[in-house]
Amino acid sequence: MKALSYNAFTLKIIAVVAMIMNHIAIGLQPVLPPWLHLVFFAVGGATYVIMAFFVVEGYRHTSNLGKYIGRLLIFGLIAQAFHPTVLGTTSMVGGPIFLNIMFTITLSLLVLLAYDKIKIRPLFWLLFLVACAAAMFMDLIFMAVLGTLLYHIIKKESRRRTLPGVITGIFYLVLGATGLFGVLSIEAMQAAGMYQEAQVLIEQLGGYSMMAYLRAAPTFAIGAFLGAILIRNFNGERGLRAKWLFYVAYPVHLAVIAAIMVALGISAFNLFGFFTF
């Protein structure tokens, strides 16, 4: 039986579609059937596993790293106008400052550059910890930075293709299981008649939308493991050129989902996380 293989264009299309499905699951959760919410949320785990691999490929082959980062920051700034409306509930630190994935990718690229340029390894790892702390204010938190670095430093190609995605999946499985345990604990309190205490905890978590997010969180690992399988079967070919695909799709799909959320009354429009309309 002939093994499946995928070129870069196909994998990037899969990553973009998975990203859109995940963001629909988060933003439109109140109007989605529970089973569809879980499916859409789960596939999103493949997105950054795939994109992290190609971030490293881009870093290794770009002729101008400064322009690469500049594009990320420009489109990241545009996307940030809509990001808090759609993804604000995923913040791990709370507050209005929660930057989108374009900033996470930028930070990851700076970590790769530091790894190659700083020969004093203790100094690099200290800076890496600082970067991980900064990533807590960004989409996918520090695991995105670590996953990208693993794609860069693992030498054996078969391991490089597989191990970062597997590690990412395990991390989100454990993190998601922790969140799910919290949800189940709150539901157990409600079943025991402790409604007031449970409501306080729900409000502290961020409401019922966050409860739904935490209930789905372990499924994110499924997408990450799928991403590892897909990258394992990357055939090394470029396929169709798609330089601007992710750049354009990212802010556009967030704007569309935000507009739908406002139209359906799911959320007010939260501009940059500071101005609500």
Side-chain angles (χ1 to χ4, degrees), residues 95-174:
I97 302 176
F98 183 55
L99 301 177
N100 65 65
I101 200 65
M102 295 294 197
F103 294 96
T104 319
I105 294 174
T106 299
L107 181 62
S108 299
L109 285 169
L110 294 176
V111 168
L112 298 184
L113 183 63
Y115 180 84
D116 287 343
K117 297 297 183 182
I118 297 176
K119 303 305 178 184
I120 304 174
R121 280 296 175 240
L123 176 58
F124 165 75
W125 290 114
L126 177 60
L127 291 175
F128 173 75
L129 292 176
V130 172
C132 286
M136 295 301 292
F137 295 86
M138 301 178 188
D139 215 350
L140 295 184
I141 59 173
F142 70 88
M143 195 61 216
V145 178
L146 175 58
T148 306
L149 181 63
L150 290 175
Y151 275 122
H152 187 53
I153 66 177
I154 296 175
K155 301 302 181 184
K156 187 176 180 180
E157 188 63 15
S158 60
R159 292 178 183 173
R160 187 176 87 90
R161 295 282 190 91
T162 307
L163 197 56
V166 172
I167 292 174
T168 300
I170 292 172
F171 171 79
Y172 283 112
L173 182 62
V174 173

Side-chain angles (χ1 to χ4, degrees), residues 149-275:
L149 181 63
L150 290 175
Y151 275 122
H152 187 53
I153 66 177
I154 296 175
K155 301 302 181 184
K156 187 176 180 180
E157 188 63 15
S158 60
R159 292 178 183 173
R160 187 176 87 90
R161 295 282 190 91
T162 307
L163 197 56
V166 172
I167 292 174
T168 300
I170 292 172
F171 171 79
Y172 283 112
L173 182 62
V174 173
L175 182 66
T178 302
L180 179 59
F181 177 78
V183 170
L184 295 176
S185 298
I186 291 174
E187 291 177 345
M189 292 174 65
Q190 291 174 324
M194 302 170 64
Y195 301 111
Q196 185 173 355
E197 295 86 344
Q199 189 60 39
V200 170
L201 292 175
I202 291 171
E203 292 175 357
Q204 289 176 347
L205 283 174
Y208 285 96
S209 62
M210 178 59 82
M211 290 277 285
Y213 167 76
L214 292 174
R215 188 178 289 108
T219 68
F220 198 75
I222 297 173
F225 294 137
L226 173 61
I229 294 172
L230 292 170
I231 291 298
R232 176 82 177 192
N233 290 284
F234 173 49
N235 60 19
E237 298 176 3
R238 173 184 289 179
L240 297 176
R241 291 184 64 87
K243 180 177 180 179
W244 296 99
L245 173 66
F246 184 70
Y247 293 112
V248 175
Y250 190 69
V252 168
H253 91 280
L254 286 178
V256 171
I257 295 173
I260 295 173
M261 291 174 66
V262 173
L264 294 178
I266 295 173
S267 172
F269 181 59
N270 190 350
L271 182 65
F272 291 107
F274 294 99
F275 309 101

Side-chain angles (χ1 to χ4, degrees), residues 56-63:
V56 173
E57 295 298 294
Y59 169 78
R60 291 178 174 181
H61 297 103
T62 184
S63 59

Side-chain angles (χ1 to χ4, degrees), residues 66-117:
K67 285 186 177 180
Y68 185 9
I69 290 176
R71 288 193 297 269
L72 288 167
L73 292 177
I74 289 171
F75 281 91
L77 184 60
I78 296 170
Q80 192 63 29
F82 313 104
H83 183 265
T85 302
V86 180
L87 294 160
T89 57
T90 63
S91 175
M92 297 293 291
V93 294
I97 302 176
F98 183 55
L99 301 177
N100 65 65
I101 200 65
M102 295 294 197
F103 294 96
T104 319
I105 294 174
T106 299
L107 181 62
S108 299
L109 285 169
L110 294 176
V111 168
L112 298 184
L113 183 63
Y115 180 84
D116 287 343
K117 297 297 183 182

